[in-house]
Amino acid sequence: MHSLNAITLLLIIVGGINWLLVGLFGFDLVAAIFGGQDALLARIVYILVGLSALWQIMPLMRSFSGSEAHAQRH
């Protein structure tokens, strides 16, 4: 499970950097690499980033309810 969390976090970081580039410069790096926003590979990357964000909700909720949040407060 730890490796899946690391992979999904990495994909979220890639997505965040892509959105930073879109916001600052109007440049979609994923689309540029994979042949446009409608290209199959670009759409797969967008879907994986979105699914990664959904997956990361679980560890976030666990950190609020478990001992991890308690440890960070002290």
Side-chain angles (χ1 to χ4, degrees), residues 16-69:
I17 291 170
N18 191 58
W19 277 113
L20 175 67
L21 291 171
V22 169
L24 289 176
F25 307 112
F27 178 70
D28 187 340
L29 181 62
V30 172
I33 291 172
F34 295 112
Q37 287 182 338
D38 294 329
L40 179 62
L41 288 176
R43 293 187 64 176
I44 290 171
V45 170
Y46 297 140
I47 290 168
L48 289 174
V49 169
L51 290 173
S52 295
L54 292 175
W55 179 263
Q56 285 295 322
I57 291 172
M58 291 186 301
L60 178 65
M61 292 298 120
R62 278 194 305 263
S63 72
F64 289 140
S65 64
S67 61
E68 185 177 332

